[in-house]
Amino acid sequence: MNQRPAPTTFQPAAQEAGDALPGLTPAGLQTIGVLRARRLLVLVLNLVTLAGLLFGVSRVLGAGGWTLADMVIFVAFLFGAPWTVLGFWNAAIGLWLLHGVEDGREQVAPFAADGDVATPLAVRTAVLMTLRNEDPARAFRRLRVVKQSLDATGQGGWYDYFVLSDSNDPRVAAAEEALAEGWASELGESGRVTYRRRTDNAGFKAGNVREFCERWGDRYELMLPLDADSVMSGEAIVRLTRMMQAHPRLGILQSLVVGMPSRSAFARIFQFGMRHGMRPYTMGSAWWIGECGPFWGHNAMVRIAPFRDECHLPVLPGGPPLGGAVMSHDQVEATLMRRAGYEVRVLPEEMGSWEENPPTMLEFAKRDLRWCLGNLQYLKLLDLPGLKPMSRFQLVWAILMFLGLPAWTLMIALLPWKVLEDGNIAGYPAGLAAFLYVMFFTMYLSPKLAGFADILLTRGGTKRYGGTGRFIASSLIEIVFAFLQGAVSTFRTTLFMIGLAFGRAKIGWNGQSRDAHALSFATAFAGLWPHLLFGLYIFVTLAILSPAVLLWSLPLTAGYVLAIPFAMLTAAPALGEWFVARGLCGIPEDFDAPAELVAIQAETHA
């Protein structure tokens, strides 16, 4: 059953399929009119909601007359609020699709059923793992498990494996080469495992994958890029392959990528929240984004021919930090794939696709700042010719995701000044201010709240998380974590963007720390002392001017003064072990581990 198909030069199936019927998306999955109506509805909902918030905020700020501080806060709110508003409506729509309508899944992913039918495979797929100075044994262990899982489906012969290294550490490179040779020799099948190391890191990860496409792409119809921390089940891979085979105009297809069990308290809490918030949010966004979906860069099926021919990333003009190679390549590739006449789709289901999350706050920040720089580079790509309006919106929205963060920092920085200005205003609308504050925070938390509701409304949902008591306790822990971590991330991104403005910020691309480890006070202080200073400014001034406002501000400001102990505590191995022993912030794989993750753990401890 795992007999390998004979090597052939690939002829793209999409070229034989022809174009979709008029009025349909390229793969013929949905009518364009329906998607336009959905997008119009979402636009109206967001504009009306944002207008209502802005009207309320203007009433509060304008009490007693407008000052310069009022105008600055209003403009900052205009930049910061849209992301929260859209998140609220995505979560609300997603929860409605999950529990309010019978055909919610079909409305979002009309292609999903094609993966459930045991159609014989007829396309060859290259499974790629990109590396740069990662732990070689760890990476190869994961890729071997992926192959074992694929072979267990009886369809393993349709998949070959490529390890694409950009490592420049000689010891790491030597270990990679030895592991690749050993694995290939063990298999005894020519061409099943290919190891290639570039001598430079040109184009970063995107350049690495592009070099594969140009060198080997004509042998395969599809590729499955994996990161060094990625794992996918064979069943999930084959299911996605069948969907791509059934619809030759699907250019990129991915399911939800979820975190793996971790012994780090930080990673456990973070991925517990992401696990819930991501599903309704992604379900809601996929409902109206449709064929112009995002691309997360890994754990996704990609059609090679259009990717190679149409998704070549430009080298951005100018010097660093915004010039040069595109860092956040995935979203740009998604827009170019759609421009080429292929659909980019998300299947918002958890179906055997995992990754590891950073084990500490400081490691998380490194990744977040790299994404920030990459998204800001999109400012130089907004004039790319031929992009679909929805694709162009995706780029703008990715930019605003980070531009809104300094806006929030600015609003908080001006809070003591506003308290001083408004202290003697007669008839100040304190009730309206409190209402807006609570309502906005509810909207901010809505993806998480919708995710919690999804689990509680699903039969047996909390059982997968160790029971209702554990699930509720973990949810409360995660909400507190989200406020504290949000303050730290927002301020750190603000500092980074100020550095960008003065040309002082620099981001590289290298291996990441993935195992739980402690943070010393010196390390935490070195990375987070600006947060402490900013927090002390807010706390001291508000304590003097208005202790009541200080109390109301704690969800926003506590994270500044607690950043150092919070980073040390969530990184502490003892806390992680305590969480593991009690099943707190555990994900379903902690309580019922799939075979792939069991195999990884077995090899890890062998």
Side-chain angles (χ1 to χ4, degrees):
M1 288 190 297
N2 274 315
Q3 183 177 0
R4 188 182 181 210
T8 59
T9 298
F10 164 63
Q11 298 297 325
Q15 292 179 356
E16 304 166 3
D19 295 327
L21 294 174
L24 297 178
T25 58
L29 294 170
Q30 289 174 301
T31 61
I32 295 173
V34 167
L35 283 175
R36 285 175 177 168
R38 293 178 182 178
R39 291 165 183 170
L40 178 60
L41 173 62
V42 171
L43 176 64
V44 170
L45 289 173
N46 277 266
L47 290 179
V48 169
T49 305
L50 184 59
L53 287 171
L54 290 172
F55 176 75
V57 169
S58 69
R59 292 286 302 275
V60 173
L61 292 175
W66 285 81
T67 66
L68 178 61
D70 292 325
M71 289 186 283
V72 171
I73 291 174
F74 185 82
V75 173
F77 185 82
L78 183 60
F79 273 89
W83 185 265
T84 297
V85 173
L86 183 59
F88 166 75
W89 282 113
N90 280 343
I93 293 169
L95 189 62
W96 170 69
L97 290 167
L98 288 166
H99 296 280
V101 294
E102 292 184 3
D103 62 342
R105 176 179 182 242
E106 185 178 345
Q107 288 191 35
V108 172
F111 50 87
D114 297 293
D116 299 327
V117 180
T119 305
L121 292 186
V123 296
R124 296 183 63 203
T125 301
V127 181
L128 321 177
M129 179 168 279
T130 55
L131 302 177
R132 179 167 171 81
N133 298 328
E134 301 279 356
D135 179 347
R138 185 190 196 95
F140 274 83
R141 184 184 307 126
R142 279 152 178 72
L143 193 56
R144 290 170 70 104
V145 166
V146 170
K147 183 183 183 303
Q148 291 165 5
S149 185
L150 269 169
D151 288 345
T153 68
Q155 304 294 329
W158 290 95
Y159 301 85
D160 291 337
Y161 302 86
F162 290 79
V163 178
L164 308 176
S165 173
D166 270 356
S167 298
N168 60 0
D169 184 321
R171 292 173 298 177
V172 172
E176 290 172 354
E177 187 171 357
L179 286 168
E181 289 179 357
W183 190 19
S185 176
E186 175 187 323
L187 293 177
E189 299 179 61
S190 176
R192 294 308 307 279
V193 176
T194 302
Y195 172 79
R196 186 273 289 131
R197 185 170 75 91
R198 296 196 300 172
T199 57
D200 59 41
N201 190 215
F204 305 113
K205 176 185 170 183
N208 196 354
V209 174
R210 171 146 297 278
E211 197 267 355
F212 159 82
C213 291
E214 293 172 349
R215 185 172 177 182
W216 290 287
D218 61 349
R219 301 182 188 177
Y220 304 92
E221 182 163 356
L222 305 174
M223 63 179 176
L224 175 67
L226 299 175
D227 282 351
D229 62 341
S230 296
V231 181
M232 290 187 71
S233 72
E235 183 178 328
I237 294 171
V238 171
R239 186 176 172 214
L240 291 175
T241 305
R242 286 197 172 108
M243 294 179 202
M244 295 288 284
Q245 178 176 291
H247 300 285
R249 283 286 173 176
L250 276 179
I252 299 175
L253 176 62
Q254 62 212 319
S255 63
L256 295 181
V257 185
V258 300
M260 293 172 59
S262 176
R263 308 192 79 80
S264 156
F266 182 91
R268 286 178 69 89
I269 303 170
F270 173 78
Q271 65 194 27
F272 176 85
M274 283 291 292
R275 187 67 172 259
H276 306 109
M278 184 168 57
R279 189 169 182 224
Y281 181 97
T282 308
M283 179 75 77
S285 64
W287 180 77
W288 60 274
I289 289 174
E291 87 290 2
C292 290
F295 176 34
W296 299 320
H298 59 91
N299 293 43
M301 280 292 175
V302 180
R303 201 169 299 278
I304 293 177
F307 185 89
R308 177 193 60 213
D309 299 339
E310 306 292 344
C311 299
H312 191 72
L313 297 176
V315 176
L316 301 178
L322 296 183
V326 178
M327 298 284 287
S328 293
H329 57 93
D330 35 26
Q331 188 54 50
V332 183
E333 290 161 345
T335 64
L336 296 176
M337 180 68 80
R338 182 65 193 91
R339 184 180 71 174
Y342 291 79
E343 298 192 18
V344 179
R345 292 278 185 170
V346 173
L347 177 62
E349 296 181 11
E350 300 166 2
M351 50 174 288
S353 182
W354 300 281
E355 65 177 347
E356 289 180 300
N357 285 302
T360 71
M361 180 190 293
L362 296 184
E363 288 295 326
F364 176 87
K366 290 179 184 178
R367 186 182 73 173
D368 209 36
L369 296 182
R370 189 174 71 243
W371 288 349
C372 174
L373 174 58
N375 283 22
L376 292 179
Q377 286 180 308
Y378 297 167
L379 288 165
K380 295 192 173 187
L381 295 168
L382 294 178
D383 60 348
L384 279 174
L387 295 186
K388 301 294 182 182
M390 184 55 59
S391 297
R392 214 174 293 277
F393 168 80
Q394 294 271 54
L395 295 180
V396 171
W397 202 247
I399 295 168
L400 289 178
M401 178 175 68
F402 286 100
L403 284 182
L405 299 182
W408 286 114
T409 303
L410 180 59
M411 283 187 275
I412 294 171
L414 291 173
L415 184 58
W417 185 261
K418 275 300 297 172
V419 171
L420 191 62
E421 283 188 341
D422 297 347
N424 298 318
I425 295 177
Y428 181 81
L432 176 60
F435 171 76
L436 290 171
Y437 184 78
V438 172
M439 184 176 69
F440 192 80
F441 265 125
T442 303
M443 295 177 69
Y444 169 74
L445 292 172
S446 58
K448 299 179 185 296
L449 299 178
F452 298 151
D454 174 34
I455 300 303
L456 292 170
L457 292 170
T458 300
R459 184 185 298 273
T462 59
K463 183 178 180 181
R464 299 176 63 223
Y465 292 83
T468 303
R470 277 198 186 101
F471 179 77
I472 292 176
S474 299
S475 300
L476 295 175
I477 292 171
E478 199 279 327
I479 287 176
V480 174
F481 171 92
F483 280 120
L484 297 176
Q485 174 61 25
V488 174
S489 294
T490 299
F491 190 72
R492 193 175 185 91
T493 303
T494 300
L495 294 178
F496 177 73
M497 292 178 70
I498 292 172
L500 282 179
F502 290 95
R504 298 183 60 185
K506 185 178 180 181
I507 292 291
W509 195 292
N510 218 323
Q512 301 176 47
S513 174
R514 305 185 189 276
D515 291 318
H517 61 272
L519 286 180
S520 67
F521 174 78
T523 300
F525 183 82
L528 299 168
W529 65 265
H531 301 68
L532 177 60
L533 288 183
F534 184 71
L536 289 176
Y537 151 69
I538 297 293
F539 267 60
V540 171
T541 53
L542 288 183
I544 295 172
L545 297 172
S546 176
V549 173
L550 174 60
L551 289 175
W552 276 90
S553 77
L554 287 180
L556 288 171
T557 58
Y560 302 131
V561 294
L562 296 177
I564 294 172
F566 176 62
M568 295 174 64
L569 180 64
T570 53
L575 181 63
E577 295 296 335
W578 189 83
F579 270 55
V580 170
R582 287 154 182 79
L584 288 173
C585 295
I587 54 178
E589 290 82 355
D590 280 294
F591 302 99
D592 184 17
E596 292 78 14
L597 302 190
V598 170
I600 289 174
Q601 292 299 320
E603 287 197 34
T604 300
H605 299 299

